[in-house]
Amino acid sequence: MSMGAVTSSAWSVRAARERSHTDRHRDLLDAAARVFAARGYAETTVAAITAEAGVARATLYVYFASKEEIFHALAARVRDDFLAAQEPGLVGDDPRKTLRATMDAFAAAARDAGPLLRMIEERGAIEPALAGLATEIAERPIRRFARWIERQRQAATVAPVAEPRVVAETIGYALASGALQRRNANPAAWEEYLRNMRTVAETLLGMGSTAAPRS
């Protein structure tokens, strides 16, 4: 066997192990999210999380040292999901398409986070280590959205009815709240809600009466 084949084989084994590690880490977080959502923070235990994940405690402790560390990791994932929903420029230069894609992704992130959002806010008020993440989740998406609105206003592609920060708050907070209330909505009801929210957002941004295309 050649050295190149050995090297290739070694890298394949390493890549497989890294994928396995990443998958297990994600599966544990998914299980923890379900348990926290069902039981609340105080009633959630490491034993409940490992039972939900179908793993031994020793396996969980390879990745997380405590329930608190798991919750912090979940909060970081929620933060990252919200920020990923607002990556600019992914759908070209059309502000209407960008707005639609951002709102759809933001609403999905809020729906998927579910009860964790309120838990993160509550824990952030009493845990200094979590306070920063709680603030980021609440503020960074709104600030990013406000900056996008301001850029579009300067480019004369939107004419917001109020200052960008106020419009960003109005759309962002309403969208997150509405998405949480509709976590269990069927696909048709969910899409209808998003269509209505796009209309509201476009009106607040002075984008004219042309409705976003239906899916």
Side-chain angles (χ1 to χ4, degrees), residues 25-35 52 74 77:
H25 183 274
R26 183 183 62 248
D27 291 345
L28 286 168
L29 284 180
D30 290 343
R34 292 191 295 270
V35 176
E52 177 69 21
L74 282 171
R77 187 167 75 168

Side-chain angles (χ1 to χ4, degrees), residues 104-118:
D104 289 2
F106 185 85
R111 177 191 60 192
D112 294 345
L116 285 175
L117 281 176
R118 178 159 299 193

Side-chain angles (χ1 to χ4, degrees), residues 27-28 31-32 34-35 39 44-60 70:
D27 291 345
L28 286 168
R34 292 191 295 270
V35 176
R39 295 190 172 203
T44 292
T45 63
V46 168
I49 293 171
T50 55
E52 177 69 21
V55 301
R57 285 196 185 200
T59 299
L60 183 142
I70 296 171

Side-chain angles (χ1 to χ4, degrees), residues 48-204:
I49 293 171
T50 55
E52 177 69 21
V55 301
R57 285 196 185 200
T59 299
L60 183 142
Y61 286 131
V62 169
Y63 300 89
F64 304 104
S66 63
K67 178 180 87 170
E68 290 74 20
E69 187 172 305
I70 296 171
F71 192 76
H72 286 208
L74 282 171
R77 187 167 75 168
V78 170
R79 185 267 322 272
D80 293 344
D81 287 346
F82 273 121
L83 294 178
Q86 294 188 314
E87 291 297 332
L90 296 182
V91 290
D93 298 326
D94 186 330
R96 194 183 300 274
K97 290 181 179 179
T98 298
L99 177 67
R100 172 181 177 165
T102 299
M103 289 181 64
D104 289 2
F106 185 85
R111 177 191 60 192
D112 294 345
L116 285 175
L117 281 176
R118 178 159 299 193
M119 255 181 273
I120 292 167
E121 181 181 2
E122 292 171 349
R123 300 303 303 177
I126 60 177
E127 285 189 40
L130 196 60
L133 277 172
T135 299
E136 283 189 274
I137 290 168
E139 279 293 311
R140 284 184 67 184
I142 298 299
R143 290 200 301 266
R144 182 176 286 187
F145 190 24
R147 289 196 298 268
W148 179 81
I149 294 172
E150 178 58 31
R151 290 195 300 272
Q152 297 304 313
R153 181 168 70 170
Q154 292 178 7
T157 59
V158 303
V161 299
E163 286 303 304
R165 169 73 194 202
V166 174
V167 174
E169 288 178 355
T170 302
I171 296 171
Y173 295 156
L175 188 60
S177 176
L180 285 175
Q181 293 174 18
R182 293 165 176 80
R183 287 186 65 227
N184 299 316
N186 62 52
W190 177 256
E191 181 56 32
E192 181 64 23
Y193 170 68
L194 291 180
R195 280 199 295 268
N196 286 323
M197 282 302 300
R198 291 174 203 135
T199 298
V200 170
E202 290 172 8
T203 301
L204 291 176

